[in-house]
Amino acid sequence: MTQILLLEDDSGTADEIRLELTAAGFAIVHRTRLSEAAEAVHAGGIDLLIVDRQLPDGEGLDLIAALRADGLRTPALVLSALGSLDDRVRGLRAGGDDYLPKPFALVELLARVEALLRRPDERRDTRLIVGPLDLDLLEGKASRAGRPLDLLPRELKLLDYLVRRPGRIVTRSMLLQDVWGYSFEPNSNVVDVHIGRLRRKVDGEGEVQLIRNVRGQGYVFDVPA
């Protein structure tokens, strides 16, 4: 049975969510404090996180950020009465996969949970060696032919996403949704800027180009023959 960790300190809200998700066939692990939730996640068996932001012992986003820093990629749905655009963007940048402002309809919560659980599970491999690239996702390190790559967390996540799809065109919309977690498309060139920085670090002078721009479509990771 799929197990969901619910981190919510309001008992009324927690009871409503628990009843809805239990009726849908999910097992719910309810916690009210950050420390208790972290222990439950590290104990294993959690398939999805539902995290409130404003908790008695701190900010729920701090838990998600800490788990991501530890290499744990369990999908996370953020709940919060803080529902402005800036709040939603902050939640997604902290490592959340979706953001649902309060108040919300339980049917929408269930739909978002089901959507997150349908995403491909890419948590199996934490060490990827493809062509000259070596990615250690647990350590947050990457190298090319022994040359260390000084990648920021977002750049490492981008490279991980591309490396798992060799030879396939990856669109900007795919990257915005799966790497940034945006359920909307911001009017900016955030993807192009990050990809540009990543390419300059991965494809050094005189090296075979691994990340290629496909004009008008997106990007491709090419594995050298």
Side-chain angles (χ1 to χ4, degrees):
M1 181 180 291
T2 299
Q3 192 161 244
I4 297 175
L5 173 72
L6 172 61
L7 177 56
E8 171 62 70
D9 66 308
D10 182 83
S11 59
T13 301
D15 287 344
E16 290 180 352
I17 293 174
R18 184 163 45 196
L19 286 172
E20 180 75 15
L21 296 183
T22 300
F26 299 110
I28 307 302
V29 176
H30 179 217
R31 297 291 185 269
T32 60
R33 303 184 70 84
L34 292 170
S35 57
E36 297 170 348
E39 290 177 3
V41 175
H42 284 291
I46 300 298
D47 300 293
L48 178 78
L49 308 173
I50 299 178
V51 179
D52 187 24
R53 283 191 57 177
Q54 297 170 302
L55 298 158
D57 56 339
E59 161 69 82
L61 297 184
D62 292 341
L63 170 68
I64 296 175
L67 294 175
R68 298 296 184 250
D70 289 340
L72 295 175
R73 304 174 66 187
T74 308
L77 170 61
V78 181
L79 304 180
S80 180
L82 305 172
S84 71
L85 175 60
D86 287 343
D87 288 318
R88 299 199 305 272
V89 170
R90 183 184 174 198
L92 297 171
R93 285 178 172 169
D97 297 281
D98 199 356
Y99 196 105
L100 183 59
K102 296 179 179 180
F104 52 82
L106 290 172
V107 65
E108 182 179 4
L109 171 71
L110 176 59
R112 289 178 183 247
V113 165
E114 292 171 339
L116 286 174
L117 290 171
R118 284 197 301 269
R119 288 186 180 181
D121 185 357
E122 297 180 347
R123 292 174 284 161
R124 296 185 299 274
D125 301 322
T126 59
R127 180 76 180 274
L128 300 174
I129 300 176
V130 181
L133 287 180
D134 185 343
L135 279 65
D136 188 332
L137 302 176
L138 284 179
E139 293 293 330
K141 298 178 180 178
S143 63
R144 174 171 178 164
R147 173 174 63 86
L149 303 176
D150 184 18
L151 302 182
L152 298 173
R154 182 77 67 186
E155 293 167 346
L156 181 63
K157 191 172 183 180
L158 268 174
L159 186 58
D160 174 29
Y161 191 87
L162 292 168
V163 163
R164 292 179 188 271
R165 296 161 177 80
R168 291 170 51 189
I169 295 177
V170 174
T171 67
R172 291 169 179 81
S173 295
M174 290 168 64
L175 291 171
L176 283 169
Q177 178 175 329
D178 296 336
V179 176
W180 272 265
Y182 289 163
S183 54
F184 57 94
E185 189 163 330
N187 185 22
S188 73
N189 61 344
V190 61
V191 171
D192 298 315
V193 170
H194 279 76
I195 287 286
R197 292 173 181 167
L198 179 62
R199 291 175 68 182
R200 287 192 291 272
K201 293 179 180 182
V202 170
D203 297 329
E205 185 176 353
E207 293 179 326
V208 175
Q209 186 181 64
L210 298 182
I211 302 173
R212 175 168 52 90
N213 178 43
V214 181
R215 188 176 181 84
Q217 298 185 59
Y219 303 93
V220 172
F221 174 77
D222 290 322
V223 181

